[in-house]
Amino acid sequence: MILLTGGAGYVGSHVCVALLDAGLDVVAVDNLSNSNKASLERVQAICGRSLVFRQADICDEEAIYQILRAYEVTAVIHLAGFKAVGESTAQPMSYYENNVVGTMRLVSAMTRASVKTLVFSSSATVYGRPTYLPLDEKHPVGPTNPYGRTKHFIEEILMDLHGSDDEWRIGILRYFNPVGAHESGLIGEDPLGVPNNLLPFVAQVAIGKRDKLHIWGGDYDTPDGTGVRDFIHVVDLASGHLSALSHLKQPGVLTVNLGTGTGCSVLEVVRTFEAASGRPIPYVISERRIGDVATCFADPSCAERLWGWKSSRSLTQMCTDHWRWQMNNPNGYRGT
Ligand code: UFG
């Protein structure tokens, strides 16, 4: 049995599908602070298999310990965490509490239950401002906001954990920009309020919920002046977790990028989304967003070398799938 923290969230629901489709049993744990249980009902509909859901907080060590024991969990995929960069600057302590302390409680529960295999959801944000591209795992780290620092500190804590007890098998996955949705259109990203991230905002413009997109900066040193990112289909990202899990056979800590290796500009995303949806995306070029970098994309070769994993879905596929999810669920899971 695999325990998934944050199992009802955007990435979590897609990882649940990957695990169930691979024949693994799943207990999804989520406190539902930024997710909806309906996602897991849909996961089960997609896979034709059931999973266990337990509503619990990773900060509640005893609850997690009981779940680990009750379901004879052998490995944990840890996705639960706060993830909004701007909010983390306004409320750093709640980010450190939830993300860093929450991970420490989870690890304590795992230690007590002798479960020592862990896949952790980190982020390319740990690299901070790139000094060279593409970003490989040896690039120096230097996150520029509290959210990024929580991910960086957790990575360090996990290294120390392994240093103190070399039975631990730990995979640290540094995500680039997850977008898209499962091709069924049943699960996808369901942001609360105004989306911070590009794809959910573009999708809401396409469907008419917002009148235009603000492109944050048109004067970057990039081919068309807009920011360049490594957008990765969430289904590819989810399969990366399965690859990590199935290759964590030896004790150790492996830190691996999950990206495509290709940078796409904001304008390319807008045009591709217009083509995929058949809807216009009105936009204005606005001031740069504080903290943004011009260009960020991965060297994803380590994941391929170690685990035979690489992404396969194109930007068109990402936009098509994101649009299907948006069309079928204009109010996310709240309509269900
Ligand atoms: N953008 C816009 N308008 C918007 C939203 C975004 O122009 O309304 C632009 C941004 O300026 C950037 C690009 O679209 O150039 C992507 O922005 P996102 O907010 O979607 O993603 P980021 O690359 O800023 O951040 C993402 C995650 C973070 C993570 C970071 C790591 O959202 O959690 O990648 O690199 F920390």
PDB file of all heavy atoms in Angstrom, residues 216-246:
ATOM      1  N   TRP A 216       2.848  39.267 -17.826  1.00  0.00           N
ATOM      2  CA  TRP A 216       3.749  40.005 -16.919  1.00  0.00           C
ATOM      3  C   TRP A 216       5.119  40.187 -17.565  1.00  0.00           C
ATOM      4  O   TRP A 216       6.011  39.395 -17.366  1.00  0.00           O
ATOM      5  CB  TRP A 216       3.889  39.286 -15.579  1.00  0.00           C
ATOM      6  CG  TRP A 216       2.614  38.933 -14.885  1.00  0.00           C
ATOM      7  CD1 TRP A 216       2.235  37.695 -14.445  1.00  0.00           C
ATOM      8  CD2 TRP A 216       1.548  39.830 -14.493  1.00  0.00           C
ATOM      9  NE1 TRP A 216       1.006  37.758 -13.836  1.00  0.00           N
ATOM     10  CE2 TRP A 216       0.564  39.059 -13.843  1.00  0.00           C
ATOM     11  CE3 TRP A 216       1.329  41.206 -14.639  1.00  0.00           C
ATOM     12  CZ2 TRP A 216      -0.621  39.604 -13.350  1.00  0.00           C
ATOM     13  CZ3 TRP A 216       0.153  41.756 -14.140  1.00  0.00           C
ATOM     14  CH2 TRP A 216      -0.794  40.959 -13.506  1.00  0.00           C
ATOM     15  N   GLY A 217       5.245  41.227 -18.379  1.00  0.00           N
ATOM     16  CA  GLY A 217       6.552  41.562 -18.971  1.00  0.00           C
ATOM     17  C   GLY A 217       6.647  41.143 -20.417  1.00  0.00           C
ATOM     18  O   GLY A 217       6.411  39.972 -20.750  1.00  0.00           O
ATOM     19  N   GLY A 218       6.953  42.128 -21.293  1.00  0.00           N
ATOM     20  CA  GLY A 218       7.133  41.826 -22.719  1.00  0.00           C
ATOM     21  C   GLY A 218       8.509  42.245 -23.206  1.00  0.00           C
ATOM     22  O   GLY A 218       8.766  42.270 -24.418  1.00  0.00           O
ATOM     23  N   ASP A 219       9.395  42.557 -22.232  1.00  0.00           N
ATOM     24  CA  ASP A 219      10.719  43.052 -22.619  1.00  0.00           C
ATOM     25  C   ASP A 219      11.847  42.198 -22.045  1.00  0.00           C
ATOM     26  O   ASP A 219      12.953  42.677 -21.792  1.00  0.00           O
ATOM     27  CB  ASP A 219      10.880  44.515 -22.161  1.00  0.00           C
ATOM     28  CG  ASP A 219      10.685  44.669 -20.659  1.00  0.00           C
ATOM     29  OD1 ASP A 219      10.291  43.678 -19.991  1.00  0.00           O
ATOM     30  OD2 ASP A 219      10.938  45.773 -20.141  1.00  0.00           O
ATOM     31  N   TYR A 220      11.546  40.931 -21.818  1.00  0.00           N
ATOM     32  CA  TYR A 220      12.610  40.028 -21.357  1.00  0.00           C
ATOM     33  C   TYR A 220      13.548  39.700 -22.515  1.00  0.00           C
ATOM     34  O   TYR A 220      13.155  39.805 -23.690  1.00  0.00           O
ATOM     35  CB  TYR A 220      12.016  38.721 -20.818  1.00  0.00           C
ATOM     36  CG  TYR A 220      11.418  38.846 -19.433  1.00  0.00           C
ATOM     37  CD1 TYR A 220      10.041  38.769 -19.239  1.00  0.00           C
ATOM     38  CD2 TYR A 220      12.236  39.021 -18.323  1.00  0.00           C
ATOM     39  CE1 TYR A 220       9.493  38.874 -17.965  1.00  0.00           C
ATOM     40  CE2 TYR A 220      11.696  39.124 -17.044  1.00  0.00           C
ATOM     41  CZ  TYR A 220      10.325  39.050 -16.877  1.00  0.00           C
ATOM     42  OH  TYR A 220       9.789  39.158 -15.622  1.00  0.00           O
ATOM     43  N   ASP A 221      14.737  39.261 -22.166  1.00  0.00           N
ATOM     44  CA  ASP A 221      15.704  38.853 -23.179  1.00  0.00           C
ATOM     45  C   ASP A 221      15.385  37.412 -23.616  1.00  0.00           C
ATOM     46  O   ASP A 221      16.084  36.460 -23.286  1.00  0.00           O
ATOM     47  CB  ASP A 221      17.114  38.957 -22.584  1.00  0.00           C
ATOM     48  CG  ASP A 221      18.185  38.631 -23.622  1.00  0.00           C
ATOM     49  OD1 ASP A 221      17.847  38.614 -24.827  1.00  0.00           O
ATOM     50  OD2 ASP A 221      19.337  38.372 -23.220  1.00  0.00           O
ATOM     51  N   THR A 222      14.265  37.298 -24.314  1.00  0.00           N
ATOM     52  CA  THR A 222      13.795  35.995 -24.809  1.00  0.00           C
ATOM     53  C   THR A 222      13.349  36.220 -26.263  1.00  0.00           C
ATOM     54  O   THR A 222      13.191  37.375 -26.679  1.00  0.00           O
ATOM     55  CB  THR A 222      12.577  35.498 -23.995  1.00  0.00           C
ATOM     56  OG1 THR A 222      11.529  36.479 -24.102  1.00  0.00           O
ATOM     57  CG2 THR A 222      12.918  35.291 -22.526  1.00  0.00           C
ATOM     58  N   PRO A 223      13.127  35.175 -27.048  1.00  0.00           N
ATOM     59  CA  PRO A 223      12.825  35.378 -28.470  1.00  0.00           C
ATOM     60  C   PRO A 223      11.649  36.327 -28.734  1.00  0.00           C
ATOM     61  O   PRO A 223      11.710  37.119 -29.664  1.00  0.00           O
ATOM     62  CB  PRO A 223      12.532  33.960 -28.969  1.00  0.00           C
ATOM     63  CG  PRO A 223      13.355  33.091 -28.081  1.00  0.00           C
ATOM     64  CD  PRO A 223      13.350  33.758 -26.735  1.00  0.00           C
ATOM     65  N   ASP A 224      10.583  36.282 -27.923  1.00  0.00           N
ATOM     66  CA  ASP A 224       9.463  37.203 -28.179  1.00  0.00           C
ATOM     67  C   ASP A 224       9.249  38.207 -27.044  1.00  0.00           C
ATOM     68  O   ASP A 224       8.232  38.904 -27.024  1.00  0.00           O
ATOM     69  CB  ASP A 224       8.174  36.429 -28.487  1.00  0.00           C
ATOM     70  CG  ASP A 224       7.705  35.566 -27.322  1.00  0.00           C
ATOM     71  OD1 ASP A 224       8.095  35.853 -26.165  1.00  0.00           O
ATOM     72  OD2 ASP A 224       6.938  34.612 -27.550  1.00  0.00           O
ATOM     73  N   GLY A 225      10.196  38.246 -26.109  1.00  0.00           N
ATOM     74  CA  GLY A 225      10.123  39.233 -25.028  1.00  0.00           C
ATOM     75  C   GLY A 225       9.327  38.771 -23.812  1.00  0.00           C
ATOM     76  O   GLY A 225       9.365  39.418 -22.758  1.00  0.00           O
ATOM     77  N   THR A 226       8.579  37.664 -23.930  1.00  0.00           N
ATOM     78  CA  THR A 226       7.813  37.180 -22.768  1.00  0.00           C
ATOM     79  C   THR A 226       8.581  36.041 -22.088  1.00  0.00           C
ATOM     80  O   THR A 226       9.479  35.444 -22.677  1.00  0.00           O
ATOM     81  CB  THR A 226       6.399  36.709 -23.183  1.00  0.00           C
ATOM     82  OG1 THR A 226       6.490  35.561 -24.039  1.00  0.00           O
ATOM     83  CG2 THR A 226       5.646  37.822 -23.908  1.00  0.00           C
ATOM     84  N   GLY A 227       8.196  35.758 -20.837  1.00  0.00           N
ATOM     85  CA  GLY A 227       8.899  34.754 -20.035  1.00  0.00           C
ATOM     86  C   GLY A 227       8.859  33.369 -20.665  1.00  0.00           C
ATOM     87  O   GLY A 227       7.906  33.025 -21.373  1.00  0.00           O
ATOM     88  N   VAL A 228       9.904  32.611 -20.423  1.00  0.00           N
ATOM     89  CA  VAL A 228       9.997  31.246 -20.971  1.00  0.00           C
ATOM     90  C   VAL A 228      10.054  30.253 -19.813  1.00  0.00           C
ATOM     91  O   VAL A 228      10.826  30.431 -18.867  1.00  0.00           O
ATOM     92  CB  VAL A 228      11.248  31.127 -21.871  1.00  0.00           C
ATOM     93  CG1 VAL A 228      11.558  29.673 -22.191  1.00  0.00           C
ATOM     94  CG2 VAL A 228      11.065  31.936 -23.152  1.00  0.00           C
ATOM     95  N   ARG A 229       9.200  29.228 -19.890  1.00  0.00           N
ATOM     96  CA  ARG A 229       9.143  28.206 -18.835  1.00  0.00           C
ATOM     97  C   ARG A 229       9.090  26.815 -19.445  1.00  0.00           C
ATOM     98  O   ARG A 229       8.730  26.641 -20.613  1.00  0.00           O
ATOM     99  CB  ARG A 229       7.865  28.386 -17.990  1.00  0.00           C
ATOM    100  CG  ARG A 229       7.821  29.670 -17.183  1.00  0.00           C
ATOM    101  CD  ARG A 229       8.818  29.664 -16.032  1.00  0.00           C
ATOM    102  NE  ARG A 229       8.727  30.871 -15.236  1.00  0.00           N
ATOM    103  CZ  ARG A 229       9.315  32.031 -15.546  1.00  0.00           C
ATOM    104  NH1 ARG A 229      10.033  32.147 -16.643  1.00  0.00           N
ATOM    105  NH2 ARG A 229       9.187  33.073 -14.751  1.00  0.00           N
ATOM    106  N   ASP A 230       9.373  25.842 -18.587  1.00  0.00           N
ATOM    107  CA  ASP A 230       9.334  24.432 -18.991  1.00  0.00           C
ATOM    108  C   ASP A 230       8.000  23.852 -18.508  1.00  0.00           C
ATOM    109  O   ASP A 230       7.892  23.383 -17.381  1.00  0.00           O
ATOM    110  CB  ASP A 230      10.522  23.717 -18.345  1.00  0.00           C
ATOM    111  CG  ASP A 230      10.699  22.301 -18.830  1.00  0.00           C
ATOM    112  OD1 ASP A 230       9.710  21.705 -19.311  1.00  0.00           O
ATOM    113  OD2 ASP A 230      11.818  21.775 -18.716  1.00  0.00           O
ATOM    114  N   PHE A 231       6.989  23.931 -19.365  1.00  0.00           N
ATOM    115  CA  PHE A 231       5.659  23.412 -18.999  1.00  0.00           C
ATOM    116  C   PHE A 231       5.654  21.905 -19.222  1.00  0.00           C
ATOM    117  O   PHE A 231       6.067  21.430 -20.286  1.00  0.00           O
ATOM    118  CB  PHE A 231       4.572  24.080 -19.847  1.00  0.00           C
ATOM    119  CG  PHE A 231       4.512  25.574 -19.617  1.00  0.00           C
ATOM    120  CD1 PHE A 231       5.154  26.456 -20.482  1.00  0.00           C
ATOM    121  CD2 PHE A 231       3.844  26.090 -18.515  1.00  0.00           C
ATOM    122  CE1 PHE A 231       5.121  27.828 -20.258  1.00  0.00           C
ATOM    123  CE2 PHE A 231       3.806  27.463 -18.280  1.00  0.00           C
ATOM    124  CZ  PHE A 231       4.454  28.339 -19.159  1.00  0.00           C
ATOM    125  N   ILE A 232       5.174  21.186 -18.215  1.00  0.00           N
ATOM    126  CA  ILE A 232       5.153  19.720 -18.314  1.00  0.00           C
ATOM    127  C   ILE A 232       3.737  19.218 -18.043  1.00  0.00           C
ATOM    128  O   ILE A 232       3.076  19.679 -17.099  1.00  0.00           O
ATOM    129  CB  ILE A 232       6.196  19.080 -17.361  1.00  0.00           C
ATOM    130  CG1 ILE A 232       6.045  17.552 -17.368  1.00  0.00           C
ATOM    131  CG2 ILE A 232       6.130  19.647 -15.939  1.00  0.00           C
ATOM    132  CD1 ILE A 232       7.181  16.816 -16.705  1.00  0.00           C
ATOM    133  N   HIS A 233       3.298  18.298 -18.875  1.00  0.00           N
ATOM    134  CA  HIS A 233       1.947  17.731 -18.719  1.00  0.00           C
ATOM    135  C   HIS A 233       1.867  16.986 -17.387  1.00  0.00           C
ATOM    136  O   HIS A 233       2.736  16.169 -17.071  1.00  0.00           O
ATOM    137  CB  HIS A 233       1.657  16.782 -19.884  1.00  0.00           C
ATOM    138  CG  HIS A 233       0.192  16.491 -20.054  1.00  0.00           C
ATOM    139  ND1 HIS A 233      -0.557  15.861 -19.083  1.00  0.00           N
ATOM    140  CD2 HIS A 233      -0.665  16.742 -21.081  1.00  0.00           C
ATOM    141  CE1 HIS A 233      -1.810  15.732 -19.508  1.00  0.00           C
ATOM    142  NE2 HIS A 233      -1.897  16.269 -20.717  1.00  0.00           N
ATOM    143  N   VAL A 234       0.808  17.254 -16.638  1.00  0.00           N
ATOM    144  CA  VAL A 234       0.691  16.675 -15.296  1.00  0.00           C
ATOM    145  C   VAL A 234       0.633  15.141 -15.343  1.00  0.00           C
ATOM    146  O   VAL A 234       1.050  14.475 -14.373  1.00  0.00           O
ATOM    147  CB  VAL A 234      -0.536  17.293 -14.561  1.00  0.00           C
ATOM    148  CG1 VAL A 234      -1.843  16.896 -15.229  1.00  0.00           C
ATOM    149  CG2 VAL A 234      -0.540  16.969 -13.085  1.00  0.00           C
ATOM    150  N   VAL A 235       0.182  14.577 -16.457  1.00  0.00           N
ATOM    151  CA  VAL A 235       0.155  13.103 -16.562  1.00  0.00           C
ATOM    152  C   VAL A 235       1.587  12.563 -16.713  1.00  0.00           C
ATOM    153  O   VAL A 235       1.945  11.531 -16.138  1.00  0.00           O
ATOM    154  CB  VAL A 235      -0.768  12.644 -17.713  1.00  0.00           C
ATOM    155  CG1 VAL A 235      -0.645  11.139 -17.949  1.00  0.00           C
ATOM    156  CG2 VAL A 235      -2.217  13.016 -17.405  1.00  0.00           C
ATOM    157  N   ASP A 236       2.432  13.299 -17.457  1.00  0.00           N
ATOM    158  CA  ASP A 236       3.848  12.916 -17.522  1.00  0.00           C
ATOM    159  C   ASP A 236       4.504  13.062 -16.143  1.00  0.00           C
ATOM    160  O   ASP A 236       5.283  12.205 -15.710  1.00  0.00           O
ATOM    161  CB  ASP A 236       4.604  13.801 -18.527  1.00  0.00           C
ATOM    162  CG  ASP A 236       4.334  13.406 -19.974  1.00  0.00           C
ATOM    163  OD1 ASP A 236       4.067  12.219 -20.235  1.00  0.00           O
ATOM    164  OD2 ASP A 236       4.401  14.290 -20.858  1.00  0.00           O
ATOM    165  N   LEU A 237       4.181  14.160 -15.481  1.00  0.00           N
ATOM    166  CA  LEU A 237       4.739  14.396 -14.145  1.00  0.00           C
ATOM    167  C   LEU A 237       4.349  13.256 -13.201  1.00  0.00           C
ATOM    168  O   LEU A 237       5.177  12.740 -12.443  1.00  0.00           O
ATOM    169  CB  LEU A 237       4.203  15.721 -13.604  1.00  0.00           C
ATOM    170  CG  LEU A 237       4.838  16.217 -12.318  1.00  0.00           C
ATOM    171  CD1 LEU A 237       6.162  16.908 -12.616  1.00  0.00           C
ATOM    172  CD2 LEU A 237       3.911  17.194 -11.601  1.00  0.00           C
ATOM    173  N   ALA A 238       3.078  12.863 -13.287  1.00  0.00           N
ATOM    174  CA  ALA A 238       2.586  11.783 -12.415  1.00  0.00           C
ATOM    175  C   ALA A 238       3.334  10.483 -12.692  1.00  0.00           C
ATOM    176  O   ALA A 238       3.715   9.763 -11.762  1.00  0.00           O
ATOM    177  CB  ALA A 238       1.082  11.593 -12.625  1.00  0.00           C
ATOM    178  N   SER A 239       3.600  10.210 -13.961  1.00  0.00           N
ATOM    179  CA  SER A 239       4.302   8.948 -14.266  1.00  0.00           C
ATOM    180  C   SER A 239       5.737   9.005 -13.742  1.00  0.00           C
ATOM    181  O   SER A 239       6.325   7.968 -13.428  1.00  0.00           O
ATOM    182  CB  SER A 239       4.252   8.635 -15.761  1.00  0.00           C
ATOM    183  OG  SER A 239       5.236   9.355 -16.447  1.00  0.00           O
ATOM    184  N   GLY A 240       6.286  10.205 -13.612  1.00  0.00           N
ATOM    185  CA  GLY A 240       7.623  10.353 -13.012  1.00  0.00           C
ATOM    186  C   GLY A 240       7.657   9.869 -11.564  1.00  0.00           C
ATOM    187  O   GLY A 240       8.662   9.312 -11.109  1.00  0.00           O
ATOM    188  N   HIS A 241       6.552  10.035 -10.846  1.00  0.00           N
ATOM    189  CA  HIS A 241       6.504   9.562  -9.454  1.00  0.00           C
ATOM    190  C   HIS A 241       6.525   8.042  -9.396  1.00  0.00           C
ATOM    191  O   HIS A 241       7.149   7.449  -8.524  1.00  0.00           O
ATOM    192  CB  HIS A 241       5.235  10.074  -8.768  1.00  0.00           C
ATOM    193  CG  HIS A 241       5.217  11.558  -8.583  1.00  0.00           C
ATOM    194  ND1 HIS A 241       5.062  12.432  -9.623  1.00  0.00           N
ATOM    195  CD2 HIS A 241       5.359  12.326  -7.481  1.00  0.00           C
ATOM    196  CE1 HIS A 241       5.104  13.670  -9.161  1.00  0.00           C
ATOM    197  NE2 HIS A 241       5.287  13.636  -7.875  1.00  0.00           N
ATOM    198  N   LEU A 242       5.810   7.445 -10.344  1.00  0.00           N
ATOM    199  CA  LEU A 242       5.784   5.983 -10.405  1.00  0.00           C
ATOM    200  C   LEU A 242       7.182   5.447 -10.736  1.00  0.00           C
ATOM    201  O   LEU A 242       7.654   4.483 -10.125  1.00  0.00           O
ATOM    202  CB  LEU A 242       4.775   5.560 -11.478  1.00  0.00           C
ATOM    203  CG  LEU A 242       4.428   4.099 -11.556  1.00  0.00           C
ATOM    204  CD1 LEU A 242       3.764   3.641 -10.263  1.00  0.00           C
ATOM    205  CD2 LEU A 242       3.476   3.859 -12.735  1.00  0.00           C
ATOM    206  N   SER A 243       7.849   6.101 -11.695  1.00  0.00           N
ATOM    207  CA  SER A 243       9.214   5.695 -12.047  1.00  0.00           C
ATOM    208  C   SER A 243      10.128   5.809 -10.837  1.00  0.00           C
ATOM    209  O   SER A 243      10.928   4.916 -10.558  1.00  0.00           O
ATOM    210  CB  SER A 243       9.787   6.582 -13.154  1.00  0.00           C
ATOM    211  OG  SER A 243       9.054   6.422 -14.330  1.00  0.00           O
ATOM    212  N   ALA A 244      10.017   6.942 -10.125  1.00  0.00           N
ATOM    213  CA  ALA A 244      10.862   7.143  -8.947  1.00  0.00           C
ATOM    214  C   ALA A 244      10.638   6.016  -7.945  1.00  0.00           C
ATOM    215  O   ALA A 244      11.583   5.383  -7.467  1.00  0.00           O
ATOM    216  CB  ALA A 244      10.550   8.491  -8.310  1.00  0.00           C
ATOM    217  N   LEU A 245       9.367   5.761  -7.664  1.00  0.00           N
ATOM    218  CA  LEU A 245       9.013   4.755  -6.662  1.00  0.00           C
ATOM    219  C   LEU A 245       9.545   3.383  -7.050  1.00  0.00           C
ATOM    220  O   LEU A 245      10.121   2.670  -6.230  1.00  0.00           O
ATOM    221  CB  LEU A 245       7.486   4.716  -6.563  1.00  0.00           C
ATOM    222  CG  LEU A 245       6.885   4.049  -5.363  1.00  0.00           C
ATOM    223  CD1 LEU A 245       7.340   4.738  -4.090  1.00  0.00           C
ATOM    224  CD2 LEU A 245       5.356   4.107  -5.466  1.00  0.00           C
ATOM    225  N   SER A 246       9.383   3.035  -8.310  1.00  0.00           N
ATOM    226  CA  SER A 246       9.762   1.669  -8.688  1.00  0.00           C
ATOM    227  C   SER A 246      11.282   1.510  -8.795  1.00  0.00           C
ATOM    228  O   SER A 246      11.763   0.385  -8.824  1.00  0.00           O
ATOM    229  CB  SER A 246       9.048   1.236  -9.969  1.00  0.00           C
ATOM    230  OG  SER A 246       9.143   2.225 -10.932  1.00  0.00           O
TER     231      SER A 246
END
